Amino acid sequence: MTEKRSPITGIIKALGLVFGDIGTSPIYTVTVVFLLLASSHDNILGVLSLIIWTMVSLVTVQYGLLAMSLSRRGEGGTIVLREILGASLKSKKTLGFISLLTFVGVSLLIGDGVITPAISILSAVEGSLLIPGLEGLSKTSIVLIAGIIAIGLFAVQSKGTERMAGAFGPIMIVWFTSLAVYGVLSIAEAPRILYALNPYLGIRFLYENGMKGFITLGEIILCATGGEALYADMGHLGGKPIRQAWGVVFVALVLNYLGQGAFLLQHPETKNVLFGMVFHSSRGLYIPFLLLSIAATVIASQAMISGMYSIVYQGITTRIMPMFKVDYTSVERKSQIYLASVNWFLLVSVLFIMMEFQESSRLAAAYGLAVTGTMTLTGVMMVWIFYLKKKPVLALVALFVTVVDIMYLGANLYKIPHGGYWSIILALIPFGTIILYTKGQKKLYKMMEFMPLEEFLHKYRRVYATNAKVNGTALFLLKDVNEIPFYITQTMFYHGILYEDNIFVSIIKRDDPYGITGFFRPDLAEGLRVFEVQMGYMEVVDVEEILREAGIEERTVFYGLEDIVTTNPVWKAFYFIKRNTPPFINFYKFPPKKLHGVLTKVGM
């Protein structure tokens, strides 16, 4: 039975879990843009116009309207788009191309997951420079404080974030309210900034500034970073509360950005625009606002970290990533997961990026490339899906926003030699891992010795009828019942280990994100049954619980392990990954005391 929630509750949760990243963009976006540009009247109005209409086109239209209309049982994200598109395509080459696009999109999101906490926390801590007595705070001290905050955040991940998440929504309500209020106060002092609502001013700015205006788009896009969370987090909260919350967030952001523009019109010499505006409006409340901004950036970082866990978990269940160790931090909610290897990779990367760039303005040079790359890939896949679904109007709208995405991506290519290469390097780590793992698994599968089912059954019936049998039930794990892996024939025929009741257990990933079913297929022979578990790719599966519900009480569980022998350095790297990640058996929570791994030597 579905639990009924009030609309307000859904909006509050969405504010805390979805909008942290885009909600903290006002801390650095306008500041970074006007490090490149003179703070002239026309430039300020043009840039503010572009910021507002970028949020309209890329967040509201691309994600809020188009992407969120494409889901599988309420779940969104890059992998969902691949599943939707893959279901409509028949060509293996095209499916391979779509998979490659998905791998790139997932890798870019993981790279983005490193830069988001770094730039958010660093930019908030830099606000302390306006506090009297702290003006001389060195870059090293700021990086140290930001690093300590990051270490504290990542250190508590293993404890679970369920309790902490309860406070996210209310804190973000205070944050967005503060942004809106300070924005309105500043607009009141220079109401002519409201002309920036006219999109013509943004177009004129680009026309008059030529290449410089185009390059500026690479910083303006920072206002939309985090917009992809509207679609990626659909499965947590549902589409309706996210759309409703975005209406609230959009108004608060527009008011604040207009307020920053109004403040710049009057104080063109300002270097840190948001904090300068707040300090000018109410010095007495500046320190509480600074602390609030740090809390908001921690929440934004937490949302990104949780998102990284979900992305990697999807990668594990769809078999494009290695079986990293997964811990479950909540008894009530299976979706609360913790991946230690991912957590510490992110922390080390975040600390390295902070030390490498030292300032949020310099870090902005690396930020945006991954985001615009992800947005462009999403746009391309949406155009394709709407075209195949014969929805020409939606396909044309999707094509328009994809062209806008490509413009922003082109502007961000300029960042590559100025630090943007780190965005690519960070994305190459998961991308290389995915390619190596998927290619390695295919190669390994080809090198394995499989026995056709008919041949196996012929031998099995003879052995079962003549050999002594062990009392009880044994489970044998396999991917496809029609191809019997060598470890099973080795166990039954060479080692003579045959139980009275033998069950082949097959775990199959379904195309939709949720749902778990377990059922018996027709018996293959006397003493040989088949039990199939079908699972959605977002599900956390407790196989032991499913087996008990089906009345299966096994004495032992056999599964195959590969000992890879190779001189090829690529396959050596693949074997290193396989050897240093838990076997798939650990992922599905089988009772450890009953497990027996059977080793098979494979030459690659």
Side-chain angles (χ1 to χ4, degrees):
M1 186 170 147
T2 306
E3 183 185 350
K4 290 186 178 179
R5 294 182 306 185
S6 72
I8 299 298
T9 303
I11 290 171
I12 292 172
K13 286 190 175 182
L15 290 175
L17 296 175
V18 180
F19 296 104
D21 188 0
I22 197 169
T24 51
S25 295
I27 297 175
Y28 47 80
T29 301
V30 177
T31 294
V32 167
V33 170
F34 284 98
L35 289 176
L36 295 175
L37 291 174
S39 304
S40 67
H41 178 273
D42 288 351
N43 282 350
I44 293 169
L45 289 175
V47 166
L48 266 296
S49 176
L50 286 171
I51 286 174
I52 292 165
W53 288 98
T54 296
M55 290 194 294
V56 170
S57 58
L58 299 190
V59 183
T60 303
V61 177
Q62 178 168 354
Y63 286 103
L65 297 179
L66 296 178
M68 290 179 73
S69 69
L70 299 170
S71 66
R72 279 279 177 94
R73 292 182 66 181
E75 186 69 24
T78 309
I79 291 177
V80 171
L81 287 178
R82 184 190 73 166
E83 300 292 344
I84 294 171
L85 193 50
S88 305
L89 297 170
K90 294 179 182 177
S91 166
K92 284 189 176 181
K93 284 187 178 180
T94 311
L95 285 171
F97 176 68
I98 293 303
S99 294
L100 184 63
L101 284 183
T102 307
F103 297 164
V104 173
V106 167
S107 302
L108 287 172
L109 275 173
I110 293 173
D112 189 32
V114 171
I115 298 176
T116 295
I119 192 171
S120 298
I121 296 172
L122 205 53
S123 58
V125 174
E126 284 171 351
S128 60
L129 292 172
L130 290 178
I131 298 174
L134 297 181
E135 302 94 336
L137 206 61
S138 67
K139 291 179 185 177
T140 305
S141 301
I142 289 172
V143 171
L144 183 63
I145 295 167
I148 291 170
I149 293 171
I151 291 169
L153 175 63
F154 282 94
V156 300
Q157 296 302 312
S158 61
K159 309 295 181 185
T161 57
E162 202 166 7
R163 291 180 184 176
M164 199 164 40
F168 285 0
I171 291 172
M172 293 307 289
I173 288 174
V174 177
W175 170 249
F176 286 118
T177 302
S178 301
L179 290 181
V181 169
Y182 281 116
V184 170
L185 291 174
S186 190
I187 292 168
E189 294 184 12
R192 64 185 183 278
I193 193 64
L194 294 174
Y195 285 116
L197 294 171
N198 184 351
Y200 168 72
L201 296 182
I203 297 169
R204 189 182 70 181
F205 168 83
L206 292 175
Y207 176 76
E208 291 179 350
N209 286 274
M211 182 54 71
K212 189 172 185 180
F214 179 71
I215 292 170
T216 305
L217 290 177
E219 312 301 342
I220 289 172
I221 190 60
L222 299 179
C223 72
T225 56
E228 66 277 5
L230 273 74
Y231 183 46
D233 291 338
M234 275 181 71
H236 298 293
L237 300 166
K240 189 176 179 180
I242 291 177
R243 284 194 182 100
Q244 291 171 332
W246 170 239
V248 175
V249 171
F250 178 72
V251 171
L253 292 178
V254 168
L255 288 173
N256 189 264
Y257 280 123
L258 288 172
Q260 290 190 49
F263 182 73
L264 260 183
L265 287 173
Q266 295 184 297
H267 306 275
E269 74 289 346
T270 304
K271 298 299 180 187
N272 195 323
V273 185
L274 175 64
F275 290 114
M277 179 178 78
V278 173
F279 191 75
H280 172 77
S281 296
S282 55
R283 294 193 179 192
L285 293 175
Y286 181 74
I287 292 178
F289 180 83
L290 177 63
L291 295 175
L292 177 63
S293 70
I294 292 173
T297 57
V298 168
I299 290 170
S301 303
Q302 176 60 59
M304 183 59 77
I305 294 165
S306 300
M308 290 303 101
Y309 294 161
S310 296
I311 288 169
V312 174
Y313 186 80
Q314 283 186 36
I316 293 170
T317 57
T318 51
R319 294 173 183 170
I320 67 172
M321 284 188 178
M323 295 277 181
F324 297 114
K325 186 175 184 294
V326 179
D327 293 311
Y328 306 94
T329 59
S330 170
V331 177
E332 292 81 18
R333 295 183 63 193
K334 289 183 178 179
S335 60
Q336 290 279 336
I337 58 176
Y338 169 71
L339 290 89
S341 52
V342 176
N343 190 67
W344 301 123
F345 165 75
L346 288 173
L347 174 59
V348 170
S349 302
V350 166
L351 293 176
F352 172 77
I353 288 294
M354 284 180 174
M355 288 186 287
E356 173 70 17
F357 288 90
Q358 295 197 329
E359 297 177 42
S360 62
S361 57
R362 289 185 63 220
L363 186 49
Y367 198 35
L369 192 60
V371 177
T372 50
T374 304
M375 287 179 170
T376 302
L377 290 173
T378 300
V380 169
M381 293 171 83
M382 287 196 306
V383 172
W384 206 336
I385 291 168
F386 287 131
Y387 173 76
L388 292 173
K389 287 178 174 285
K390 296 181 178 179
K391 295 181 177 179
V393 175
L394 292 179
L396 282 172
V397 177
L399 182 61
F400 169 75
V401 296
T402 304
V403 170
V404 176
D405 288 331
I406 292 169
M407 283 179 58
Y408 276 109
L409 177 60
N412 274 278
L413 294 177
Y414 175 79
K415 293 182 175 184
I416 291 175
H418 303 284
Y421 57 86
W422 278 113
S423 193
I424 297 173
I425 291 170
L426 290 169
L428 279 174
I429 295 171
F431 183 75
T433 303
I434 291 169
I435 293 296
L436 179 62
Y437 186 75
T438 52
K439 295 290 184 186
Q441 288 290 85
K442 284 181 182 178
K443 176 78 171 175
L444 180 61
Y445 197 75
K446 284 180 181 177
M447 301 303 294
M448 296 283 288
E449 294 182 35
F450 292 96
M451 185 179 285
L453 180 60
E454 287 304 317
E455 184 183 341
F456 171 81
L457 289 177
H458 178 72
K459 288 188 176 183
Y460 169 83
R461 290 188 181 102
R462 189 176 70 246
V463 171
Y464 190 83
T466 56
N467 284 26
K469 290 170 280 293
V470 182
N471 293 332
T473 299
L475 306 184
F476 294 85
L477 304 182
L478 77 174
K479 189 175 180 181
D480 183 358
V481 176
N482 294 309
E483 295 181 320
I484 309 302
F486 179 70
Y487 93 85
I488 294 180
T489 58
Q490 184 182 358
T491 302
M492 289 185 173
F493 304 153
Y494 296 122
H495 299 159
I497 301 173
L498 205 62
Y499 279 70
E500 289 177 337
D501 183 25
N502 303 278
I503 302 176
F504 288 167
V505 178
S506 178
I507 299 173
I508 296 173
K509 185 269 300 180
R510 293 203 310 234
D511 288 341
D512 49 342
Y514 293 108
I516 304 172
T517 56
F519 55 91
F520 281 103
R521 288 198 171 278
D523 292 357
L524 296 175
E526 184 185 356
L528 184 60
R529 298 187 286 166
V530 178
F531 187 76
E532 186 171 295
V533 178
Q534 294 186 357
M535 56 172 282
Y537 57 80
M538 283 294 291
E539 287 287 2
V540 176
V541 182
D542 187 339
V543 176
E544 186 175 15
E545 185 181 324
I546 297 170
L547 295 174
R548 298 298 166 265
E549 288 176 358
I552 299 173
E553 291 285 348
E554 76 285 346
R555 284 188 66 182
T556 187
V557 180
F558 291 101
Y559 64 98
L561 287 172
E562 301 86 21
D563 181 18
I564 298 172
V565 180
T566 182
T567 56
N568 187 312
V570 174
W571 302 136
K572 279 186 176 181
F574 169 68
Y575 182 44
F576 177 80
I577 293 173
K578 289 277 286 182
R579 193 177 57 197
N580 289 281
T581 52
F584 73 98
I585 197 80
N586 292 15
F587 187 71
Y588 293 120
K589 300 174 75 172
F590 281 94
K593 291 181 181 178
K594 299 177 181 179
L595 295 176
H596 289 278
V598 181
L599 198 65
T600 303
K601 189 162 282 191
V602 183
M604 288 180 70

